[in-house]
Amino acid sequence: MASATSANLNAVRETMDVLLEISRLLNTGLDMESLSICVRLCEQGINPEALSAVIKELRKASESLKVQQQQHTKCHFK
Amino acid sequence: MYTLPQCACALSLFCFGRQTRGGNVSKLIKCISGMEDEEDQNFQLALKFTWSNFRFHRFLDVDSHKVERSISGIYEKLMVHSDLRKVWGITLAFLAHQTENDPLSKFTSTHVLSMLFSLSGSPSNNDFTERPRIKEAEAEDCFDWAKYLMEGEDIDNGLYPDTPVWSEDESEDDDSQRPISREDSGIQLDRTPPEDQDNTNKTVPVTWTVGEPGARAWLEQHVVTPYWVTHSPRFPHSLHLHSNLLNVWDQHLYNTDPLYLPEEKAFVTETQVIRETLWLFSGVKKHFIFQQHDGKVSVRNDVVVTHLTSNCLRSVLEYIAVYGQAVFRLQRFIDEVTGCSSEPCPPGSLSSHNSKKGSEPPFRTYQAFVWALNKYFTSFKEELTTIERELICNDETMTLSAVLERLGPHLSQIKVLHKVFCTGVADVPPATPNVVRASHLLNTLYKAIIEYDSVGEASEQAVALLFSLWTETVRPYLEIVDEWIVHGHLFDPAKEFIIQRNKDVPVNHRDFWYATYTLYSVSETVESEEKLNDSASGSSGGDQSSSSRQLTMVSFLKPVLKQIIMAGKSMQLLRNLHCTEAESSEKSSRDAERKDLYTLFLESVQSRLRSQETSPTNTVTDDQATRRSLIKMQSIVAQHLEMENVHDPLLAINFARLYLEQSDFQERFSGGDFIVDRSSQSVTCQTFELTLRSCLYPHIERRYIECCGNLMKTLKKDYKLLEYLQAMRNYFLLEAGDAMYDFYTAIFNKVQEKESWQQPSFLNVQLQEAVGQRYPEDSNRLSVFLENMDPSRKKHPVNNLEVLTLSYKVPWPVDIVISSECQKIYNQVFLLLLQIKWAKYSLDTLRFSGEKLQEAPAEDVKLKEPVHQQIHRMCLLRVKLMHFVNSLHNYIMTRILHSTGLEFQHQVQEAKDLDQLIKIHYRYLATIHDRCLLREKVSFVKEAIMKVLNLVLIFSDRWQAGFGAWKIESIDKMESDFKNCHMFLVTILNKAVCRGSFPHLESLALSLMAGFEQC
């Protein structure tokens, strides 16, 4: 029983490695953690295209937020 | 339309999922945006946004086909971009997607892949930056390369471990002071030919600096891995099976043979093997693959290439080494002869090079041979350099076998050369005199040409090569011959010519003609020198000796050797005759315009070729057209010439090809190789000899005729040769009858008067008086000597005359013809004639004294009858004797001396050279001697004649004594003696005449017989 679970675990790990390699080849910018989250969400039925659109938007937003924060701190120091 | 249970199920799922999803979504936001605080306003906004997007989106459900399509699309795109690593990854993904035992469900994996694809920008769109370069680029500013190169010290190997060549150099060259020893480390500019290796480091500027992008590439291209260093780094090579045959084979051996022990090996590439091969052929002495030990080239044992088994490589290399050794041997010979100078000069200017053996004169035949060899090697090296240049350019694939194929004709030529060299030069023992060496070499070449020529088509190149070699090598010989037959001066300081001058005989000596020159011949079987003195057989020594044993002097000169000797000797004699006359200035001016024999020979060969070239079809400039027209023209000319029967056009074309090797003809026949279908019959076998016959021999022949003609003319005209010959006949053969009559009758009278005549003063006075009146110019040349007689022969009165010796002083150069030996023969004939004349004279002068006849009957009547009988018998005997003596006299004076003399005069007029003249003269003398029965073999006939002559003298003596003194017995004895001798002679002569072997004796035999029958 235990060996079966460990075998399954290995298979999952392999699959995840392959997926990570593919994502790296495709320049998606996802790391292992975010990739596993994405996989879980996909398993849960979230539309993958929607998911990717959200990720892109979040990146964009966080990017602009960082810029704003930097400007703000600069102003503050001034 | 959903059914109710379905809806319920979905609802419950949704409610459960919402909780877990909520956790995942927050995690996702944290991951992507990096916000940690969930209470943050922005976080909440993001969460709301995410959820709304998840719930209310405009996207269709995932289509697995679409995903597969995009996978294959990306695969293709990456293939186009040759991004092989990515292709491999995508393939893997695809495979993973396809497999059934994926832990994720097919559904999920499709979703995940779809998500990844939509998330990715363009997979092939990335800027290429080469990662390993980054390190070097960082280092460029902080290192002073100039200083590094100048000092040559403190090399930090650790910093740049990825430049292996450099680190190798420095570890090796620690002892040398040079910063980078390019020569030794194997760094060399590839464009230089191998001979110039030494100069490489001077001439090649180092045009690169590290850090420039091209630098490393430059190094990799231009620097050869030092494969000759033990444990040198292995060069990179492909792992393909074909290029690893050695390993495979080794593995096989290792597996099958339990005792197999792999050895240490030095790996080289095929290119390196090719280059070493080329260097070996071009005469470089130090190699890695090939090793030389005292003249032997061997192949290194442990050299291997990766794509061949070591045995295979070895067999190829050993094949090369054989040729390499031949090249090496020939090269060494060239160096030896030229005195180790690297570049031999043409034969004319060679003397300056022989500083090493300055005392010895240069051996010109070898030098000429070396010059020809060197010419060949120059062209061979050009070919090698071309191949190497192509190899360096790397434009096309070159394999060892291709190179060998290309060098094939050259290699076979080298083989031929080496063979000729071995038999012609190397096998000759060191102490052999030059004349033997030279003639042996020339003979070897000559024989080789004929030998290869008989093979026909197969060895055309060899024949062409050998022919050019031969023409070069024969040059000194022809020059010597030329010098000799034109100037009469045998200039041969190295003693290499087959004929040599004997120094101790001056030209104006009477032995000059016979003893001046020595002809050397090399016996084929013994290979030792045979010295044939010319005097033995005159200048015909060559002919005579060749019949007895097979001699190979210099075979090509053999047919004209006699002419050369004759012309040479004649010329020298002529020169000496002329030196008194002032003709030299005129001669020297003519000499400047004259072409020497060698030039004439070459020109003749050229003109042989030109005979075909004059045809208008050959003037086409185009190379191809020339070749075509040549073949066409050849057939035309062939027909044309066949009718005229002039010469063979094939012959001419063959010689065109033979002479392609010569540079003069290169321009004319730029095509190089003519395709001429040669008939199978080997015309060329005679071709070579025909060339000589038509191109060389006529010049010598012409010169011979000219020289000898001049000599004969000079001798006859200026030196009165014919007059002297006539004088000999006049005095010795008594043709000057009146003068000689005075001389010998004076002697005979003295004898009859019983006075002593054997006084030199008396004889000489008589002779001078007799000759001086009629031939004043000869009177002081003639003299008479008296010799001491052999006492055993003194018993007969007729032998008394044999003490006389007539002598005629013949001046130089006529004494070459009329030698003292000749005079001896003349003298013998002279004595015989004198004896006959004496007998005839004593018979003729007998007189009947009338008183005695009348007194006798008065004294004694009884005796009257027998006295009358006696007188009658004496008279009869006298007439018989007179008949005999007159017959003999007539026979000798008219039948023998006169007619033979006429023949002789005729032959003398036609004699071409001095030798022939001498021979004619000798033959003439021999004939006279023979016909006057003076030969030893017929001495019994002479004895009989002498007996009769003696009888005549006794008879006349008795007659003089008066009738009273006669005794009947003595008359009887005289009659019987005469009868015996007469009968004997008649029998002998009749036998000889009947045999028909002596037709000239016929008249004598007839007249004697007539006299005999009447008695």
Side-chain angles (χ1 to χ4, degrees), chain B residues 702-767:
Chain B
R702 205 175 305 138
R703 190 66 218 162
Y704 155 75
I705 291 169
E706 198 182 315
C707 284
C708 297
N710 273 344
L711 182 68
M712 291 309 291
K713 220 164 76 189
T714 315
L715 282 179
K716 282 177 190 169
K717 200 176 144 208
D718 300 341
Y719 291 89
K720 298 178 180 153
L721 177 70
L722 296 181
E723 281 82 348
Y724 284 114
L725 288 173
Q726 183 60 49
M728 294 305 283
R729 286 205 307 278
N730 279 348
Y731 307 123
F732 286 88
L733 306 186
L734 310 181
E735 274 186 21
D738 43 358
M740 292 314 281
Y741 182 82
D742 287 355
F743 171 61
Y744 59 71
T745 46
I747 300 173
F748 299 155
N749 284 333
K750 273 242 167 179
V751 175
Q752 276 189 350
E753 285 157 23
K754 311 277 185 218
E755 285 173 34
S756 160
W757 57 274
Q758 291 178 348
Q759 295 155 1
S761 54
F762 161 75
L763 292 170
N764 278 314
V765 166
Q766 289 300 323
L767 187 66

Side-chain angles (χ1 to χ4, degrees), chain B residues 111-130:
Chain B
H111 275 221
V112 172
L113 284 173
S114 162
M115 186 267 297
L116 289 175
F117 286 144
S118 54
L119 198 58
S120 73
S122 58
S124 60
N125 183 18
N126 51 351
D127 299 328
F128 176 77
T129 46
E130 202 184 357

Side-chain angles (χ1 to χ4, degrees), chain A residues 11 15 22-23 25-26 28 30 33 37-38 43-44 46-52 54-57 59 62 65, chain B residues 21 24 31-32 42 49-50 53-54 57 59-60 62 86 89 93 102-103 108 111 115-120:
Chain A
T15 312
I22 293 171
S23 94
L25 290 176
L26 293 174
T28 55
L30 294 176
E33 193 188 353
I37 293 168
C38 287
E43 274 182 326
Q44 286 161 7
I46 302 294
N47 186 296
E49 285 178 79
L51 181 59
S52 70
V54 164
I55 290 171
K56 281 178 189 167
E57 279 301 315
R59 278 180 183 159
S62 67
L65 193 68
Chain B
R21 254 184 271 162
N24 280 335
C31 256
I32 305 280
N42 285 333
F49 170 76
T50 310
N53 266 296
F54 283 172
H57 58 81
F59 301 105
L60 294 175
V62 178
K86 289 189 179 181
D102 197 327
T108 320
H111 275 221
M115 186 267 297
L116 289 175
F117 286 144
S118 54
L119 198 58
S120 73

